[in-house]
Amino acid sequence: MDRGLSSIASPAARARALALVATLLLAGCGAPSAARPDDAARVLRGEAGLEADDDAPRFALPGLEVPEPPSSVDVDDPALEPILRLSEALLTRARAEPDPTANGERAASSQIDRYGPWIGSIASGIRDLWHALERLETRQLGVHVVACAVVGGTLRAVASRIDELPAPPSVDTDELRETFRDALHGVTEPIRDRATQALGVCASEAVGSADPSLDEWRRWCDDANPRGVTRAASGVR
């Protein structure tokens, strides 16, 4: 019977298993769909992920600063609601923490196990967010640009949080620390690939738009791209 990570005796093997778990959970995420430009707009008030002030509403996502809404985009557009809601859930999910009192090899295995459910829940949330982007139905180019930017920025931020997970104190040899970091990199690599896809679509679709306010979003997506390059012609549309 499969007992999950607890059936793996070696801490190094358990650390590597985390990367495999996340990769399997992310499997099946295709490329973001392309926008179908149109001047149609839909309005829904009071959804999560929005911030209003005396001047104009803005997108408000914890730890993710994006430009002001494009002039062609209503921040209350219902097409954006699932993107904003799922992004906010990922950005605010409490991080798993190691037990500072544990020590020894068996404790190292146990501490690595503590990260498993958290990374699994993050991977599941990413899959839901990506599928929401795939299913996005809008005829407004600006809405699609914003959605890709938010998804790409969220995935970049999540990947950074995973990379910053502290090694448990019981992971106390160079070999174990290297394996632990390699495992985290194995988790974040496909997440950054998705971020690059979404940010690349954002930037490429905003190029030459009739809406000049989208140019700020194009620059933001270029700057946020974890690979430092826009895949304007990569076929991820």
Side-chain angles (χ1 to χ4, degrees), residues 23 25 29 46 78 120 163 188:
T23 300
L25 285 168
C29 294
D163 277 337
T188 58

Side-chain angles (χ1 to χ4, degrees), residues 99-111:
D99 180 358
T101 65
N103 57 68
E105 181 171 308
R106 290 180 64 83
S109 296
S110 176
Q111 291 302 296

Side-chain angles (χ1 to χ4, degrees), residues 51-69:
E51 182 179 84
D53 56 26
D54 293 337
D55 298 321
R58 294 176 58 93
F59 299 109
L61 290 162
L64 185 65
E65 290 189 18
V66 295
E68 293 185 5

